[in-house]
């Protein structure tokens, strides 16, 4: 595991919880420069902080998790592909073209998943099915975050320093747009691009985001507009003007281990069980490209 | 079977419909409306409430104290912890909420140096519980102190089982019955914690819910309450009531923005 911050701890906990529910034990080696003083002894009986040089002693890790800051993803992925066949990268991918080429040529059997967790949302999957039945449609996605610009400090608050709301959650919005779109995405033109909000015209609809802080938790509003009807979803349920209604709570859903919401639990379970759609990784790389295009 | 009022509506929470959540937030934006609702619930005979350590929960606690309503605190408020970790980092969060006593810090360092690894000291759990309860202010009528599901389930996965043992001990020292809210009920079936309460998501459809028989098994070891029974309003009210009367849990946590729904629930539950 590369990085034991908020998401590192979450993935460690979920992975171990899942394994324990199956009667399996697991051992973790963590690479985290901020914990280098802890390399001396195990921090728990099955958790070691190791140096980067030690990783090459073991070349058959069952899984690798890249949960470091995004600017370290590429370097960590280049290392992880040599030691593990299943690799999870937290979003955004931020992977160089040369790395993608290296994977395609030398490590084609690697299963890599980027944590665009909304793809596992049951409403999003249902919306995808509905989109597949439509001839032509527009996609409008609006995301309002519960964290205001004034609550975020340092580099995270400024677009110019790699933060701002677009870098913080724009990748989720763009990746979701890609997932729901059946067309090759051409234009992504920014209309507004500020530290606190963004508004992008895609030619197939609008993508907007806002650090508004007056909602309890992040809220997605997705509208699929076709000539016959408009589907609306807040990713908790779907409804349409012509009476369609879907709510995942109408379904039976049993998981071996549950944590941090159904989308996250499903994502982790699928990754651990190897149910990975390889297109998701390449879509995540396209998300990188589209984000770069938006930011000019 | 006890009917315990849930608190989601007071804080603008609906897990199935974010527009409804916003409507709740507007409905209960004035403290006088919350106060009146609590009084109304008390008049219906609903005298227990589940309260998360939401940033604006102190008013709710005051109104409950004034009406002699028993309070079951649920700590921590997951969104606040997550936002703090996102905004300030995990290290600062740990230093703020989980700093151990000097003696325990020494023991931790010693344990690490001896190769026994780190553990959760009791002083850490005590500091965490106290700092969370302080957010609610003074509680007159103490019920069960619940560890909320996000935290319970994170700790199960992290394998820090000692946290649960210390939590039960600290809760009892503070005059509460210890309890855990969890989606991973199998863990508590396999690891017994005596004299504790459990609160699990339960619904007719089996959506992230134990089955009827699994709840019966859990009841043999724990005081089991159920939550999420209405699926944020999408299940048939009468069907849910019939099922709950058959299930017969210790308690039902039910949040609603309408007193007439609460009245019906109170009248129909056996």
């Amino acid at each position: 595991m590369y990085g034991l911050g908020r998401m590192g701890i979450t993935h460690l906990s979920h992975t171990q919880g899942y394994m324990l529910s199956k009667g399996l034990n697991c051992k973790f080696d963590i690479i985290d420069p901020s914990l280098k003083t802890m390399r001396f002894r195990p921090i728990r009986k099955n958790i070691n902080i190791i140096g980067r040089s030690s990783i090459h002693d073991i070349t058959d890790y069952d899984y690798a998790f890249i949960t470091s800051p995004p600017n370290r993803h590429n370097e960590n992925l280049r290392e992880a592909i040599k030691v593990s066949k299943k690799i999870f990268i937290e979003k955004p991918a931020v992977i160089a073209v040369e790395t993608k080429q290296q994977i395609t040529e030398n490590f084609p059997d690697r299963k890599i998943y980027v944590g665009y967790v909304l793809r596992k949302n049951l409403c999003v999957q249902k919306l995808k099915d509905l989109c597949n039945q439509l001839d032509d449609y527009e996609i409008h996605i609006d995301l309002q975050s519960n964290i205001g610009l004034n609550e975020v400090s340092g580099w995270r608050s400024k677009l110019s320093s790699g933060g701002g709301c677009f870098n913080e959650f724009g990748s989720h919005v763009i990746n979701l747009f890609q997932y729901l779109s059946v067309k090759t995405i051409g234009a992504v033109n920014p209309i507004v691009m500020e530290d606190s909000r963004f508004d992008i015209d895609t030619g197939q609809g609008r993508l907007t985001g806002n650090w508004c802080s007056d909602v309890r938790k992040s809220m997605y509003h997705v509208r699929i507009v076709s000539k016959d009807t408009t589907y609306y979803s807040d990713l908790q349920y779907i409804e349409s003007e012509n009476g369609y209604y879907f709510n995942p709570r109408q379904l039976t859903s049993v998981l071996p281990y549950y944590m941090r919401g159904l989308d996250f639990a499903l994502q982790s379970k699928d990754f651990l069980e190897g149910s990975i759609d390889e297109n998701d990784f390449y879509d995540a790389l396209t998300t990188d490209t589209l984000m770069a295009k938006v930011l000019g | 079977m006890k009917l315990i009022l849930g608190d989601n509506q007071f804080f603008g929470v609906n897990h199935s419909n974010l527009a409804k959540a916003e409507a709740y937030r507007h409905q209960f934006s004035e403290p006088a409306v919350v106060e009146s609702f609590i009084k109304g619930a008390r008049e219906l005979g609903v005298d227990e409430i589940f309260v998360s350590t939401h940033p604006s929960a102190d008013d709710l606690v005051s109104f409950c104290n004034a009406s002699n309503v028993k309070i079951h605190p649920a700590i921590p408020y997951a969104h606040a912890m997550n936002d703090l970790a996102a905004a300030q980092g995990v290290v600062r969060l740990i230093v703020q909420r989980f700093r151990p006593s000097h003696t325990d810090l020494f023991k931790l360092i010693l344990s690490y140096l001896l190769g026994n690894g780190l553990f959760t000291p009791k002083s850490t759990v005590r500091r965490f519980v106290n700092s969370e309860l302080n957010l609610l202010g003074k509680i007159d009528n103490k019920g069960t102190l619940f560890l909320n599901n996000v935290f319970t389930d994170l700790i199960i996965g992290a394998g820090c089982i000692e946290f649960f043992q210390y939590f039960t001990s600290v809760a009892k020292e503070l005059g509460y019955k210890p309890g855990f809210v969890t989606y991973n009920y199998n863990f508590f079936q396999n690891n017994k914690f005596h004299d504790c309460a459990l609160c699990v998501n339960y619904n007719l459809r089996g959506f992230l819910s134990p089955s009827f028989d699994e709840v019966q098994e859990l009841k043999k070891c724990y005081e089991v309450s159920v939550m999420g029974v209405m699926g944020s309003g999408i299940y048939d009210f009468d069907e849910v009531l019939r099922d709950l009367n058959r299930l017969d849990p210790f308690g039902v946590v039910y949040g609603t923005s309408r007193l007439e729904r609460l009245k019906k629930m109170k009248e129909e539950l056996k």
Side-chain angles (χ1 to χ4, degrees):
Chain A
M1 181 169 280
Y2 295 84
L4 193 62
R6 185 173 62 107
M7 291 315 294
I9 291 170
T10 307
H11 282 287
L12 184 150
S13 181
H14 193 283
T15 303
Q16 182 160 250
Y18 174 89
M19 294 299 169
L20 290 173
S21 77
K22 300 278 180 188
L24 301 167
N25 289 317
C26 47
K27 212 178 146 189
F28 294 89
D29 285 342
I30 316 271
I31 294 174
D32 188 326
S34 65
L35 298 172
K36 65 181 175 191
T37 52
M38 310 279 290
R39 286 180 201 160
F40 190 48
R41 294 275 190 272
I43 57 169
R44 300 282 291 191
K45 65 183 178 194
N46 62 336
I47 304 174
N48 288 295
I49 307 295
I50 63 168
R52 204 169 270 280
S53 56
S54 315
I55 196 171
H56 301 294
D57 298 343
I58 304 174
T59 53
D60 59 346
Y61 285 97
D62 292 308
Y63 306 99
F65 292 87
I66 299 175
T67 50
S68 54
N71 61 357
R72 307 297 295 272
H73 283 186
N74 189 57
E75 170 195 7
N76 291 333
L77 179 61
R78 291 177 77 90
E79 196 171 80
I81 51 176
K82 295 175 188 159
V83 298
S84 181
K85 287 187 178 160
K86 291 178 190 153
I87 301 152
F88 184 99
I89 312 171
E90 258 307 333
K91 67 91 200 170
V94 196
I95 301 304
V97 177
E98 302 78 50
T99 309
K100 178 187 169 187
Q101 205 170 341
Q102 189 193 1
I103 293 165
T104 314
E105 288 170 8
N106 303 328
F107 301 96
D109 62 337
R110 296 314 192 236
K111 287 181 180 291
I112 306 172
Y113 186 84
V114 180
Y116 284 110
V117 67
L118 294 177
R119 290 184 173 221
K120 299 294 176 183
N121 178 285
L122 297 177
C123 286
V124 168
Q125 291 182 3
K126 186 61 81 177
L127 282 172
K128 173 93 175 158
D129 291 345
L130 292 167
C131 287
N132 284 338
Q133 294 163 28
L134 299 172
D135 294 329
D136 197 21
Y137 56 94
E138 282 189 358
I139 303 166
H140 297 260
I141 306 172
D142 175 57
L143 169 59
Q144 295 173 42
S145 165
N146 56 329
I147 297 178
L149 181 62
N150 56 356
E151 294 164 49
V152 187
S153 56
W155 68 271
R156 298 179 91 106
S157 63
K158 296 274 176 214
L159 194 63
S160 55
S161 53
C165 73
F166 183 67
N167 286 319
E168 196 74 6
F169 51 72
S171 60
H172 266 310
V173 176
I174 287 188
N175 192 270
L176 181 57
F177 172 64
Q178 285 172 255
Y179 188 62
L180 294 176
S181 177
V182 288
K183 293 181 185 168
T184 304
I185 298 163
V188 274
N189 301 315
I191 295 168
V192 175
M193 188 54 59
E194 296 171 354
D195 292 332
S196 63
R197 67 191 183 103
F198 62 83
D199 183 344
I200 301 162
D201 180 9
T202 68
Q204 295 169 53
R206 292 281 275 270
L207 310 177
T208 51
N210 190 356
W211 263 344
C212 60
S213 83
D214 61 353
V215 289
R216 175 185 162 266
K217 63 178 183 179
S218 294
M219 289 174 71
Y220 286 89
H221 300 277
V222 180
R223 278 188 308 126
I224 308 290
V225 184
S226 74
K227 66 179 185 331
D228 297 324
T229 191
T230 296
Y231 292 100
Y232 166 79
S233 179
D234 63 1
L235 307 193
Q236 311 293 318
Y237 74 100
I238 306 171
E239 67 182 6
S240 78
E241 290 165 335
N242 59 6
Y244 177 87
Y245 184 80
F246 170 78
N247 191 315
R249 283 174 173 76
Q250 293 161 331
L251 308 173
T252 299
S253 182
V254 179
L255 289 166
Y257 180 73
Y258 176 93
M259 195 184 82
R260 210 178 189 267
L262 182 57
D263 307 351
F264 185 86
L266 283 170
Q267 172 186 260
S268 298
K269 173 182 166 290
D270 284 355
F271 172 69
L272 295 171
E273 293 178 355
S275 310
I276 295 169
D277 183 341
E278 287 175 17
N279 290 326
D280 287 351
F281 173 58
Y282 293 103
D283 273 2
L285 301 187
T286 307
T287 306
D288 287 350
T289 311
L290 291 171
M291 284 186 73
K293 206 182 263 189
V294 170
L295 291 169
Chain B
M1 194 184 331
K2 287 176 184 294
L3 179 57
I4 302 162
L5 182 62
D7 65 350
N8 274 348
Q9 67 284 0
F10 300 127
F11 305 133
V13 178
N14 181 298
H15 295 294
S16 187
N17 185 321
L18 296 180
K20 266 191 193 173
E22 286 304 287
Y24 292 160
R25 213 156 66 100
H26 288 294
Q27 181 183 342
F28 292 105
S29 59
E30 292 299 322
V33 178
V34 178
E35 184 178 21
S36 159
F37 195 95
I38 295 296
K39 281 183 181 164
R42 189 70 181 85
E43 280 163 18
L44 293 173
V46 180
D47 56 3
E48 302 194 21
I49 186 168
F50 201 85
V51 180
S52 344
T53 46
H54 187 276
S56 50
D58 49 350
D59 273 349
L60 177 60
V61 167
S62 304
F63 301 143
C64 292
N65 284 339
S67 295
N68 193 28
V69 171
K70 183 183 274 186
I71 295 174
H72 306 288
I75 62 168
Y77 186 61
H79 283 287
M81 295 287 266
N82 189 48
D83 293 348
L84 196 63
Q88 301 182 0
V90 175
V91 174
R92 194 175 290 183
L93 174 70
I94 290 172
V95 170
Q96 272 185 12
R97 302 285 175 96
F98 299 92
R99 196 170 64 242
S101 66
H102 293 306
T103 314
D104 280 339
L105 184 61
F106 175 74
K107 285 181 189 168
L108 271 174
I109 294 169
L110 195 64
S111 172
Y112 171 69
L113 292 175
L114 290 172
N116 296 327
L118 303 175
F119 59 92
T120 315
K122 188 171 178 182
S123 59
T124 285
V125 180
R126 190 180 287 119
R127 179 183 293 272
F128 159 74
V129 170
N130 280 328
S131 67
E132 285 295 319
L133 285 176
N134 283 343
L135 299 172
L136 294 178
K138 185 173 172 288
I139 293 174
D140 291 341
N141 195 346
K142 296 175 179 177
T144 300
L145 176 64
F146 283 102
L147 195 63
N148 89 15
N149 59 290
V150 176
F151 212 69
T152 302
D153 296 336
L154 180 80
I155 289 170
I156 291 172
C160 301
I161 312 302
E162 70 274 16
F163 190 101
F164 295 138
Q165 284 151 355
Y166 288 137
F167 179 80
T168 57
S169 165
V170 168
K172 284 175 187 170
E173 284 167 19
L174 293 171
Y176 292 94
K177 185 180 183 76
F180 302 101
V181 186
T182 185
Y183 280 80
N184 297 299
Y185 45 88
N186 284 333
F187 169 84
F188 288 94
Q189 191 64 272
N190 299 331
N191 300 270
K192 303 284 191 310
F193 294 88
H194 297 291
D195 196 23
C196 286
L198 271 193
C199 182
V200 296
N201 187 58
Y202 176 82
N203 56 70
L204 285 161
R205 300 286 178 274
F207 179 78
L208 300 172
S209 157
S211 66
F212 182 91
D213 290 341
E214 284 171 324
V215 173
Q216 302 311 319
E217 280 302 308
L218 288 168
K219 278 165 60 179
K220 291 176 185 168
C221 317
Y222 298 99
E223 194 179 277
V224 179
S225 294
V226 293
M227 62 179 184
V229 293
M230 299 304 301
S232 298
I234 70 155
Y235 303 135
D236 179 77
F237 197 82
D238 293 325
E239 197 185 353
V240 168
L241 284 169
R242 278 195 299 277
D243 185 58
L244 286 174
N245 281 327
R246 209 165 62 88
L247 186 77
D248 191 28
F250 177 82
V252 175
V253 181
Y254 176 58
T256 177
S257 61
R258 290 156 57 192
L259 278 172
E260 63 271 23
R261 297 276 282 189
L262 193 66
K263 183 169 185 273
K264 186 168 184 202
M265 183 70 106
K266 178 70 183 167
E267 285 169 355
E268 301 280 332
L269 284 182
K270 286 178 188 161

